[in-house]
Protein backbone atom coordinates (compact mmCIF):
# COMPACT_ATOMS: atom_id res chain seq x y z
CA UNK A 1 0.00 0.00 0.00
CA UNK A 2 1.16 3.54 -0.72
CA UNK A 3 2.02 5.76 2.16
CA UNK A 4 0.93 9.35 2.35
CA UNK A 5 4.38 10.69 1.52
CA UNK A 6 4.28 9.09 -1.94
CA UNK A 7 0.92 10.59 -2.83
CA UNK A 8 0.49 13.83 -4.78
CA UNK A 9 -0.41 17.01 -2.98
CA UNK A 10 -3.68 18.73 -3.86
CA UNK A 11 -3.30 21.97 -5.72
CA UNK A 12 -5.31 25.13 -5.12
CA UNK A 13 -7.24 24.60 -8.39
CA UNK A 14 -8.52 21.24 -7.21
CA UNK A 15 -9.41 22.65 -3.79
CA UNK A 16 -11.57 25.34 -5.46
CA UNK A 17 -13.63 22.79 -7.41
CA UNK A 18 -14.62 20.76 -4.35
CA UNK A 19 -17.98 21.81 -2.92
CA UNK A 20 -18.17 22.82 0.70
CA UNK A 21 -20.02 20.76 3.27
CA UNK A 22 -22.79 23.37 3.41
CA UNK A 23 -23.21 23.17 -0.40
CA UNK A 24 -23.50 19.39 -0.26
CA UNK A 25 -25.93 19.47 2.65
CA UNK A 26 -27.96 22.20 0.95
CA UNK A 27 -28.46 19.89 -2.04
CA UNK A 28 -29.84 17.25 0.29
CA UNK A 29 -32.10 19.81 1.97
CA UNK A 30 -33.45 20.95 -1.40
CA UNK A 31 -34.96 17.53 -2.14
CA UNK A 32 -38.73 17.75 -1.74
CA UNK A 33 -40.49 14.62 -0.50
CA UNK A 34 -44.17 13.80 -0.27
CA UNK A 35 -45.76 12.74 3.04
CA UNK A 36 -45.72 9.12 1.83
CA UNK A 37 -42.00 9.48 1.00
CA UNK A 38 -41.36 10.74 4.54
CA UNK A 39 -43.30 7.82 5.96
CA UNK A 40 -41.34 5.35 3.85
CA UNK A 41 -38.05 6.80 5.13
CA UNK A 42 -39.34 6.70 8.69
CA UNK A 43 -40.33 3.05 8.26
CA UNK A 44 -36.91 2.20 6.81
CA UNK A 45 -34.87 3.84 9.55
CA UNK A 46 -37.03 2.37 12.31
CA UNK A 47 -37.41 -1.07 10.75
CA UNK A 48 -35.83 -4.47 11.27
CA UNK A 49 -32.71 -3.70 9.23
CA UNK A 50 -31.85 -0.64 11.33
CA UNK A 51 -32.49 -2.59 14.52
CA UNK A 52 -30.17 -5.29 13.18
CA UNK A 53 -27.22 -2.88 13.00
CA UNK A 54 -28.01 -0.82 16.10
CA UNK A 55 -26.21 -2.73 18.85
CA UNK A 56 -22.85 -3.29 17.18
CA UNK A 57 -19.74 -1.35 18.15
CA UNK A 58 -18.56 -1.17 14.54
CA UNK A 59 -21.07 -0.44 11.78
CA UNK A 60 -19.57 -0.47 8.29
CA UNK A 61 -21.47 1.21 5.46
CA UNK A 62 -20.12 -0.26 2.21
CA UNK A 63 -20.37 2.04 -0.82
CA UNK A 64 -19.68 1.09 -4.43
CA UNK A 65 -20.99 -0.70 -7.48
CA UNK A 66 -24.25 -2.59 -7.21
CA UNK A 67 -26.27 -4.83 -9.46
CA UNK A 68 -25.07 -8.00 -11.15
CA UNK A 69 -21.50 -6.99 -11.95
CA UNK A 70 -18.02 -8.26 -11.14
CA UNK A 71 -17.36 -4.98 -9.32
CA UNK A 72 -20.45 -5.59 -7.17
CA UNK A 73 -19.15 -9.09 -6.39
CA UNK A 74 -15.86 -7.59 -5.20
CA UNK A 75 -17.77 -5.07 -3.10
CA UNK A 76 -19.57 -8.03 -1.47
CA UNK A 77 -16.19 -9.55 -0.59
CA UNK A 78 -15.50 -6.39 1.42
CA UNK A 79 -19.00 -6.46 2.92
CA UNK A 80 -18.68 -10.10 4.01
CA UNK A 81 -15.12 -9.76 5.31
CA UNK A 82 -15.99 -6.79 7.53
CA UNK A 83 -19.25 -8.40 8.62
CA UNK A 84 -17.27 -11.38 9.97
CA UNK A 85 -15.39 -9.23 12.46
CA UNK A 86 -16.24 -9.51 16.12
CA UNK A 87 -18.97 -7.10 17.20
CA UNK A 88 -19.13 -5.61 13.71
CA UNK A 89 -21.82 -5.48 11.06
CA UNK A 90 -21.86 -4.40 7.43
CA UNK A 91 -24.65 -2.59 5.63
CA UNK A 92 -25.41 -1.31 2.15
CA UNK A 93 -28.07 1.05 0.91
CA UNK A 94 -29.61 -1.91 -0.91
CA UNK A 95 -30.13 -3.76 2.38
CA UNK A 96 -32.87 -1.30 3.24
CA UNK A 97 -35.14 -2.37 0.39
CA UNK A 98 -34.75 0.70 -1.80
CA UNK A 99 -35.24 0.09 -5.50
CA UNK A 100 -34.44 2.23 -8.57
CA UNK A 101 -38.07 3.43 -8.36
CA UNK A 102 -37.24 5.00 -4.98
CA UNK A 103 -34.33 7.04 -6.30
CA UNK A 104 -35.64 10.27 -4.74
CA UNK A 105 -35.34 8.65 -1.29
CA UNK A 106 -31.81 7.34 -1.70
CA UNK A 107 -30.00 10.55 -0.79
CA UNK A 108 -31.93 11.00 2.45
CA UNK A 109 -31.56 7.37 3.49
CA UNK A 110 -27.87 7.38 2.53
CA UNK A 111 -27.34 10.49 4.65
CA UNK A 112 -29.02 8.75 7.61
CA UNK A 113 -26.91 5.61 7.14
CA UNK A 114 -23.73 7.69 6.99
CA UNK A 115 -24.72 9.14 10.34
CA UNK A 116 -25.33 5.69 11.84
CA UNK A 117 -22.12 4.15 10.47
CA UNK A 118 -18.92 4.15 12.49
CA UNK A 119 -16.89 3.59 9.30
CA UNK A 120 -17.84 4.21 5.68
CA UNK A 121 -15.92 2.11 3.16
CA UNK A 122 -15.92 3.00 -0.52
CA UNK A 123 -14.94 0.20 -2.91
CA UNK A 124 -14.07 2.22 -5.99
CA UNK A 125 -13.18 0.72 -9.38
CA UNK A 126 -14.22 3.61 -11.63
CA UNK A 127 -16.23 6.82 -11.70
CA UNK A 128 -18.96 5.48 -13.99
CA UNK A 129 -21.48 4.00 -11.57
CA UNK A 130 -24.60 5.53 -10.13
CA UNK A 131 -22.82 5.55 -6.77
CA UNK A 132 -20.65 8.52 -7.81
CA UNK A 133 -23.16 10.91 -6.20
CA UNK A 134 -22.59 9.08 -2.90
CA UNK A 135 -18.92 10.01 -3.09
CA UNK A 136 -19.80 13.70 -3.16
CA UNK A 137 -21.68 13.34 0.12
CA UNK A 138 -18.75 11.47 1.65
CA UNK A 139 -16.56 14.50 1.03
CA UNK A 140 -18.58 16.45 3.61
CA UNK A 141 -16.30 16.99 6.59
CA UNK A 142 -18.87 15.57 8.99
CA UNK A 143 -18.51 12.20 7.26
CA UNK A 144 -14.99 12.37 5.84
CA UNK A 145 -13.42 11.37 9.16
CA UNK A 146 -15.30 8.05 8.91
CA UNK A 147 -14.42 7.34 5.27
CA UNK A 148 -11.95 4.72 4.06
CA UNK A 149 -11.43 4.08 0.34
CA UNK A 150 -10.38 0.82 -1.32
CA UNK A 151 -9.42 2.03 -4.79
CA UNK A 152 -8.65 -0.31 -7.64
CA UNK A 153 -5.33 0.34 -9.35
CA UNK A 154 -5.09 -0.68 -12.99
CA UNK A 155 -2.03 -2.13 -14.70
CA UNK A 156 -1.31 0.86 -16.95
CA UNK A 157 -1.98 4.60 -16.96
CA UNK A 158 -4.31 4.51 -19.98
CA UNK A 159 -6.63 1.96 -18.37
CA UNK A 160 -6.48 3.91 -15.11
CA UNK A 161 -7.40 7.10 -16.94
CA UNK A 162 -10.24 5.40 -18.84
CA UNK A 163 -11.83 4.21 -15.57
CA UNK A 164 -11.37 7.39 -13.55
CA UNK A 165 -11.79 10.13 -16.17
CA UNK A 166 -14.75 12.00 -14.69
CA UNK A 167 -13.86 15.54 -13.71
CA UNK A 168 -16.85 16.10 -11.45
CA UNK A 169 -16.31 12.88 -9.51
CA UNK A 170 -12.57 13.47 -9.30
CA UNK A 171 -13.10 16.95 -7.85
CA UNK A 172 -15.42 15.52 -5.20
CA UNK A 173 -13.19 12.68 -4.09
CA UNK A 174 -9.64 13.77 -4.76
CA UNK A 175 -9.11 14.34 -1.05
CA UNK A 176 -10.43 10.87 -0.29
CA UNK A 177 -8.04 9.28 -2.78
CA UNK A 178 -4.83 10.96 -1.61
CA UNK A 179 -4.41 10.25 2.09
CA UNK A 180 -3.72 7.54 4.63
CA UNK A 181 -7.34 6.37 4.40
CA UNK A 182 -7.03 5.18 0.81
CA UNK A 183 -5.67 1.72 0.04
CA UNK A 184 -5.05 0.64 -3.53
CA UNK A 185 -5.47 -2.91 -4.79
CA UNK A 186 -4.98 -4.69 -8.10
CA UNK A 187 -6.63 -8.07 -7.57
CA UNK A 188 -8.92 -9.85 -5.13
CA UNK A 189 -6.04 -11.00 -2.91
CA UNK A 190 -4.82 -7.41 -2.56
CA UNK A 191 -8.40 -6.28 -1.94
CA UNK A 192 -8.71 -8.73 0.95
CA UNK A 193 -5.37 -7.51 2.34
CA UNK A 194 -6.59 -3.92 2.07
CA UNK A 195 -9.77 -4.77 4.00
CA UNK A 196 -7.59 -6.15 6.78
CA UNK A 197 -5.98 -2.72 7.12
CA UNK A 198 -9.29 -1.09 8.03
CA UNK A 199 -10.09 -0.38 11.69
Amino acid sequence: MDDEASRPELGDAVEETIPTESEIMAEIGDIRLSPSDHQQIKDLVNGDEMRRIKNHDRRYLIVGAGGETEAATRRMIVYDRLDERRDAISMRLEDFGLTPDDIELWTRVFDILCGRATQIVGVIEDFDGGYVWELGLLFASSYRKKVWVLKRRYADEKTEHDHFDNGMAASHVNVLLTGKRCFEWRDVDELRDAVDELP
Side-chain angles (χ1 to χ4, degrees):
M1 305 296 159
D2 295 21
D3 61 27
E4 192 171 26
S6 67
R7 296 182 183 277
E9 294 291 324
L10 287 175
D12 292 337
V14 173
E15 292 269 4
E16 291 172 2
T17 63
I18 298 172
T20 65
E21 179 178 359
S22 59
E23 289 171 333
I24 292 168
M25 294 307 185
E27 287 182 24
I28 293 171
D30 288 343
I31 296 171
R32 298 291 172 243
L33 301 175
S34 70
S36 64
D37 291 337
H38 282 289
Q39 186 61 50
Q40 187 174 355
I41 291 173
K42 184 177 174 182
D43 292 344
L44 286 170
V45 300
N46 292 304
D48 291 341
E49 194 61 30
M50 194 62 77
R51 284 192 291 276
R52 183 181 75 88
I53 69 168
K54 187 176 175 182
N55 295 317
H56 291 80
D57 288 340
R58 289 181 290 177
R59 297 175 300 279
Y60 296 100
L61 176 59
I62 314 302
V63 177
E68 304 285 329
T69 64
E70 290 183 14
T73 299
R74 288 184 285 273
R75 179 180 169 218
M76 282 306 297
I77 290 170
V78 174
Y79 180 98
D80 292 337
R81 199 163 179 93
L82 291 172
D83 201 56
E84 292 169 354
R85 291 182 172 185
R86 184 176 178 188
D87 206 17
I89 195 161
S90 294
M91 57 181 159
R92 303 170 303 154
L93 195 56
E94 302 96 307
D95 295 340
F96 291 80
L98 294 175
T99 69
D101 293 336
D102 303 314
I103 193 71
E104 70 280 359
L105 306 181
W106 285 40
T107 303
R108 290 291 177 106
V109 174
F110 185 73
D111 184 36
I112 291 165
L113 294 180
C114 285
R116 300 279 171 95
T118 57
Q119 283 94 1
I120 304 165
V121 180
V123 185
I124 310 301
E125 299 198 29
D126 55 50
F127 287 156
D128 294 328
Y131 59 86
V132 170
W133 64 266
E134 296 170 354
L135 302 178
L137 178 59
L138 297 185
F139 177 76
S141 62
S142 57
Y143 296 134
R144 198 181 325 151
K145 61 184 180 234
K146 299 180 180 184
V147 175
W148 298 84
V149 175
L150 305 177
K151 178 188 171 287
R152 184 169 183 183
R153 182 75 182 173
Y154 291 91
D156 60 83
E157 289 303 316
K158 182 186 183 317
T159 306
E160 184 86 7
H161 182 269
D162 289 346
H163 282 85
F164 292 104
D165 184 25
N166 178 327
M168 185 176 126
S171 70
H172 278 325
V173 300
N174 211 359
V175 168
L176 300 177
L177 299 180
T178 56
K180 291 179 180 178
R181 292 173 172 262
C182 179
F183 298 98
E184 292 189 334
W185 55 276
R186 290 177 176 82
D187 56 34
V188 169
D189 288 337
E190 286 189 4
L191 177 60
R192 289 191 180 101
D193 290 343
V195 173
D196 292 343
E197 297 288 329
L198 301 176

